[in-house]
Amino acid sequence: RRNTRGAILDVATDLFGLRGVDAVSLDVIAAEVGVAKQTLLYWFPSKDELVRSVLVHAVEELSFGVEAAIRASSTDPLDRVEAVVKAVFRQAVKRPSLLGLAREASRLPGTTGDQLVEAMQPLVARAVRYLDEEMAAGRLRSSDPRMVAALCYATVTGIATEPEALRAVEI
C-alpha cells in the first residue's frame, strides 16, 4: 500500500504533466487516488501547494536518474554527457509526465516558476561546474558552460517531450 502523500504526488505528477495544471482539478486528483478531497487538502492545503510539491518531486526524480547515470558512466566527458542525456530520455519514455511538467512550468505564475528554478538550481550548478572544469582541462571545446547547459536542456526536453522524436532516433 502506497502512502497517501506519495500516491497523491504520483497521480498529480502524471495528470499535471500529461493534461496540464489548469486542466486538472483537485477533485479529479482525489478521485484518481481514491481518497476524499479533504484528505488531499490535509496533505496539500491548496492546489498551488500541490503544484509546488509536484515540481520539487519531479526534479528530485529526474535528479535521481541523472545521478545514477553519472555514477555508472566513465570519466570521459562526452561519455558522461551522453549517459546523462540517455538517462533523461529513458525517464521521459518511462514517465512522459516528468518532462511534460517542464513545459507546464513555463506557463505557471511567477512564484511557482521561481520555486522550480530554485529546486533545479543545484543540478544546473553541478552541470555548469562540470562543463567548466572539463573545458578548462581541455577535454571539451571551450565555450560558455551556461550556454552549453541551456542548449542541452532545451534539446533534451524538446526531443524527450515528443514521443515520436524519441522513436525516430531509437532511444
Side-chain angles (χ1 to χ4, degrees):
R1 185 178 179 294
R2 298 184 295 178
N3 79 33
T4 303
R5 185 178 192 283
I8 293 168
L9 280 173
D10 283 343
V11 167
T13 297
D14 289 337
L15 292 174
F16 289 158
L18 297 174
R19 296 184 193 171
V21 171
D22 291 337
V24 179
S25 69
L26 294 180
D27 292 317
V28 167
I29 295 167
E32 187 76 23
V33 175
V35 299
K37 183 177 179 180
Q38 290 74 19
T39 301
L40 188 150
L41 290 169
Y42 168 80
W43 291 102
F44 304 96
S46 68
K47 186 173 181 180
D48 287 343
E49 182 58 35
L50 177 58
V51 170
R52 281 190 284 281
S53 296
V54 161
L55 292 172
V56 169
H57 178 70
V59 169
E60 288 170 353
E61 196 170 327
L62 285 169
S63 295
F64 182 77
V66 167
E67 289 296 327
I70 290 169
R71 284 192 305 275
S73 70
S74 75
T75 58
D76 178 85
L78 294 178
D79 288 345
R80 187 160 283 181
V81 169
E82 180 180 353
V84 168
V85 168
K86 285 183 176 181
V88 174
F89 281 159
R90 277 192 302 275
Q91 287 180 292
V93 169
K94 184 175 144 188
R95 193 167 188 194
S97 58
L98 286 177
L99 292 177
L101 286 169
R103 282 193 316 251
E104 272 301 294
S106 66
R107 300 178 187 132
L108 298 172
T111 57
T112 304
D114 292 345
Q115 288 172 337
L116 177 62
V117 168
E118 185 179 319
M120 288 181 60
Q121 193 56 42
L123 189 62
V124 171
R126 181 176 179 190
V128 169
R129 189 172 47 255
Y130 175 75
L131 292 168
D132 191 41
E133 289 168 0
E134 293 299 318
M135 288 173 190
R139 291 185 289 267
L140 287 176
R141 194 177 115 225
S142 187
S143 186
D144 178 350
R146 292 185 189 286
M147 181 60 73
V148 172
L151 289 170
C152 287
Y153 171 80
T155 301
V156 169
T157 56
I159 293 172
T161 57
E162 299 300 329
E164 297 78 19
L166 287 174
R167 285 196 302 272
V169 295
E170 299 176 352
I171 297 215

